[in-house]
Amino acid sequence: MENPRVAGRDPEGRSYFSFASFEDPDGNCWLLQEITTRLPGRIDSAAATFNSVSDLSGGLRRAEAAHGEHEKHTGQRDANWPDWYAKYMVAEQAGTEMPQ
């Protein structure tokens, strides 16, 4: 079977498609994979990270929109909105169930 990997980074810059391998002085073989954006469900649900101000503000905007729908559904103002936003943003990154 022919090795489907080619030299260099993935031409499309896709996450999970670029690899590098090497052998250390002790004879251990290492394979590295470039991951720039994790797939849903592959992020620790106890931690959320944002790579830029733009990523964070986008997450806040999506949480705001979803929270507006949540308040419409409950028919009342949610005084605990910061906790709801945090749960939403972590669940969105982790690919887990969104808050109700």
Side-chain angles (χ1 to χ4, degrees):
M1 180 172 155
E2 196 173 310
N3 186 348
R5 294 191 184 133
V6 296
R9 289 191 72 228
D10 175 56
E12 296 175 36
R14 297 171 294 180
S15 195
Y16 294 96
F17 283 79
S18 294
F19 298 88
S21 60
F22 65 94
E23 188 174 314
D24 69 21
D26 294 328
N28 299 304
C29 294
W30 297 86
L31 175 66
L32 307 175
Q33 183 178 30
E34 182 180 32
I35 302 171
T36 56
T37 304
R38 292 219 179 255
L39 296 172
R42 294 190 177 189
I43 295 178
D44 180 1
S45 62
T49 59
F50 294 90
N51 296 322
S52 69
V53 170
S54 175
D55 284 349
L56 177 56
S57 64
L60 287 166
R61 285 186 181 90
R62 291 187 300 278
E64 176 190 28
H67 189 257
E69 293 300 314
H70 165 72
E71 286 184 330
K72 283 181 192 175
H73 178 72
T74 64
Q76 61 187 8
R77 181 183 179 282
D78 180 7
N80 198 27
W81 65 266
D83 288 345
W84 197 97
Y85 272 42
K87 289 175 187 173
Y88 177 92
M89 293 171 75
V90 169
E92 180 185 52
Q93 282 199 351
T96 59
E97 186 176 341
M98 298 296 201
Q100 301 297 314

